[in-house]
Amino acid sequence: MSYDDFLDSDYACLDSSAIEKLIFQILKMKQEIKELNETIQWMHSAIWTELGRSQKLTEEIQHLREILDCRKEKLQ
């Protein structure tokens, strides 16, 4: 919708109070979207951090199993 279409439409009959309320709602929603995007970025970062830690722990467990297997073989 162009600006001229907007002025020609039924929306042009809104009073300034209604327009202020709409603008306030828009600004509030923009802030909420910003906060949600920041939350998503934080969650994404946290997930990748935890996946990295999990991978390191898996590798450490595998290494410890190999050491344990070697010791078992020496005892036999």
Side-chain angles (χ1 to χ4, degrees):
M1 172 184 287
S2 72
Y3 179 73
D4 290 332
D5 292 338
F6 177 78
L7 290 179
D8 292 338
S9 72
D10 292 335
Y11 295 109
C13 66
L14 293 174
D15 63 13
S16 62
S17 174
I19 293 172
E20 287 175 13
K21 288 177 185 176
L22 289 172
I23 290 171
F24 178 75
Q25 280 298 112
I26 290 169
L27 293 175
K28 208 166 119 179
M29 292 171 77
K30 282 185 174 185
Q31 180 61 33
E32 188 175 331
I33 290 169
K34 180 183 176 208
E35 291 170 6
L36 289 170
N37 282 331
E38 289 171 356
T39 300
I40 290 169
Q41 289 172 354
W42 174 84
M43 290 174 69
H44 183 265
S45 176
I47 288 167
W48 279 107
T49 298
E50 292 306 312
L51 284 173
R53 288 180 184 164
S54 177
Q55 180 62 33
K56 287 178 185 175
L57 288 172
T58 300
E59 292 169 3
E60 187 176 342
I61 289 169
Q62 181 61 35
H63 178 69
L64 291 171
R65 283 184 177 151
E66 290 170 2
I67 292 171
L68 184 60
D69 289 345
C70 284
R71 289 186 179 174
K72 282 181 182 178
E73 287 175 10
K74 287 181 183 179
L75 291 174
Q76 291 177 351

